[in-house]
Amino acid sequence: MFLTGFAAMAVMPLLPVAARELDGVGLYPLVAGAFVAASLLGGVLGGSWADRAGAGRPLTAGVLLSVVTLLVSATSTTIWQLGAGRFTDGIAAGLVAVSVNAAVGQSYPDRLRARVLSLMSACWIVPSLVGPPLAGLVAGWWSWQAVFYALAGLTAIPATAAVLLLRGRSGRSDRRAGAGAAGELGPAVRRPAPSAALAVSVAAALTQYGVTAWDVLHLLCAGAGVALLVAFAPRLLPPRTWRAADGLPATVLLRALTSGAYFTLEAFVPLLLTTVRRVPGTVTGLAFTGAALAWAGSSWVQGRLHHRVPRHRLVAVGAAVMAVAVAVAALCTVPAVPPAVAVSSMVLAAVGMGLAAPSLTLLSLAHTPADRQGYASGAMQTSQNLGQTLVLAVTSALFTTLSVLSDGGLPAFTGAFALLAVPIAAAAALSGRTRVTAAATVRRPAPEPSAAGAGSRT
């Protein structure tokens, strides 16, 4: 988690720079959204794989694939190749994210899960301090391609570790972890088919491309993407998710709303700083550094508070903080306001997500029996990526329209930031439906040592 955090923190500040140098600023939403679209497919594959054979195998596959995808991005000569690299990297990220969450559900009792998640957030502190500023300096002094090459070499370290350390655990212990998981979801819940996940991933990419301009080709792509999302997206989520039914469905929906708002803000604030405010790359990097530190700090706080404050209330508080962050970002579109205000908006939004995201993960595990941890983790990852795709697509469409009408950048950014208040308000209003009731609580025994010396499923 520590080493892969370097790659994650360094890439985002580079994307606006890369898009500008590759003459693809107009396709920037597509490049930013390609990663998210592919994570849908990776999350579904990883969740099903983790239930069948344990979390170790999808984790290993994910980190190995991430090395390859960084090399694809490093050698990009067109914006389309960069988008392809981000797409394959999204598959890898989906595998890793789901397998990590599934491992927490399979290996730790409920009383320790919040601290495990806060510990993983803490692993991002040093990468957040060093990664973005260093990436900005290297991109300014040398090139953004050099950063991708360096990240590929760095990511090879955890990839090698995963192969060596988890290879011996891929047999009996992993099979034991997944024993009984397949086929036990019952008639009300079906495991999502990979074909449906692939269709939704393609739909997300088409939608992101379709909103980058207004002509016949783009409108057709956007229409096809929306049609595929309507047809296949419900198959990847628990029943009644779109109606925010109490329990896991509402929890999954809130992950979509909060993640969609946060990561869209994270995409547009750097674009504002790079294209309109013309700030150095190091300033944009510092915005990501501050956001990562804020996320880790608030995640640490929720790890200490979750026994005293109901988790659904932490979600509501996090959404309220994010609403303030969106208002601050909109304020930065006023020319007289210093660009540093936009940096502070990313930090505030990260505080809210640090409270909301781990709480939602814990709520999803609390609402899910032990033999469905992979399914629940996959549904949360799918929902997160769907939320990012849809919110980013709608915001990008509004941004493109306002850019054409106003013949300027700042009004378009103002409208984009104002739109983000809608999913955040919905998340705050629906947070009560995620609460864990006494009837829904599943008592799980503490892990017992297996014959191989590893913790068995809880």
Side-chain angles (χ1 to χ4, degrees):
M1 188 63 73
F2 174 81
L3 291 173
T4 55
F6 257 100
M9 291 306 303
V11 163
M12 283 302 294
L14 295 177
L15 291 183
V17 178
R20 186 175 60 191
E21 292 190 8
L22 294 173
D23 294 326
V25 173
L27 293 175
Y28 174 79
L30 175 63
V31 175
F35 179 89
V36 178
S39 297
L40 290 164
L41 178 59
V44 171
L45 295 177
S48 178
W49 198 352
D51 275 344
R52 292 195 314 268
R57 293 179 180 179
L59 175 63
T60 302
V63 293
L64 286 173
L65 181 60
S66 64
V67 178
V68 178
T69 60
L70 286 169
L71 291 175
V72 173
S73 297
T75 57
S76 296
T77 56
T78 66
I79 193 68
W80 293 103
Q81 182 178 346
L82 181 63
R86 297 302 294 156
F87 187 87
T88 51
D89 199 20
I91 296 177
L95 290 171
V96 171
V98 168
S99 61
V100 167
N101 287 336
V104 173
Q106 292 171 356
S107 304
Y108 290 89
D110 183 69
R111 68 180 186 276
L112 295 180
R113 290 174 182 169
R115 295 195 175 188
V116 173
L117 293 178
S118 64
L119 177 61
M120 288 192 292
S121 295
C123 290
W124 289 67
I125 292 178
V126 173
S128 67
L129 287 172
V130 179
L134 184 59
L137 288 174
V138 173
W141 292 342
W142 195 354
S143 69
W144 58 268
Q145 290 97 333
V147 178
F148 276 101
Y149 278 118
L151 291 174
L154 182 63
T155 309
I157 299 175
T160 303
V163 171
L164 296 178
L165 298 179
L166 298 179
R167 180 177 53 186
R169 295 170 58 88
S170 62
R172 179 172 59 181
S173 61
D174 273 0
R175 287 195 299 269
R176 181 177 179 177
E184 293 184 9
L185 293 178
V189 179
R190 295 181 178 179
R191 296 190 186 280
S195 58
L198 179 60
V200 172
S201 295
V202 173
L206 286 173
T207 305
Q208 292 294 343
Y209 174 72
V211 298
T212 57
W214 297 126
D215 55 37
V216 175
L217 175 61
H218 287 79
L219 288 176
L220 287 176
C221 288
V226 170
L228 288 173
L229 286 175
V230 171
F232 290 98
R235 304 183 187 184
L236 305 182
L237 302 174
R240 299 178 296 163
T241 294
W242 302 117
R243 287 182 282 171
D246 292 346
L248 182 62
T251 305
V252 169
L253 179 61
L254 261 66
R255 171 58 65 88
L257 295 174
T258 54
S259 297
Y262 176 78
F263 288 104
T264 300
L265 181 75
E266 191 181 56
F268 275 91
V269 168
L271 188 64
L272 170 68
L273 293 173
T274 302
T275 60
V276 178
R277 290 306 185 94
R278 297 289 182 177
V279 300
T282 52
V283 175
T284 306
L286 287 174
F288 285 93
T289 297
L293 289 174
W295 188 316
S298 59
S299 178
W300 180 87
V301 170
Q302 68 79 31
R304 299 303 186 271
L305 291 180
H306 82 283
H307 288 303
R308 287 172 283 179
V309 180
R311 293 170 186 167
H312 68 278
R313 292 184 181 175
L314 290 175
V315 174
V317 172
V321 175
M322 291 177 64
V324 176
V326 168
V328 172
L331 180 65
C332 190
T333 60
V334 178
V337 177
V341 174
V343 175
S344 67
S345 72
M346 289 184 59
V347 174
L348 276 175
V351 170
M353 280 298 289
L355 293 174
S359 299
L360 289 171
T361 299
L362 293 168
L363 286 165
S364 71
L365 295 175
H367 287 304
T368 309
D371 61 348
R372 302 181 189 180
Q373 301 290 356
Y375 168 80
S377 298
M380 291 289 282
Q381 181 70 20
T382 298
S383 177
Q384 171 179 312
N385 295 330
L386 276 174
Q388 293 179 47
T389 298
L390 294 175
V391 174
L392 182 60
V394 174
T395 306
S396 299
L398 177 63
F399 178 80
T400 301
T401 302
L402 292 178
S403 296
V404 173
L405 295 177
S406 63
D407 195 23
L410 289 177
F413 282 104
T414 303
F417 293 139
L419 183 62
L420 296 182
V422 176
I424 294 174
L430 297 173
S431 60
R433 300 190 180 187
T434 66
R435 66 165 53 92
V436 178
T437 62
T441 303
V442 180
R443 299 181 62 88
R444 298 178 177 88
E448 298 177 359
S450 67
S456 64
R457 294 186 60 174
T458 59

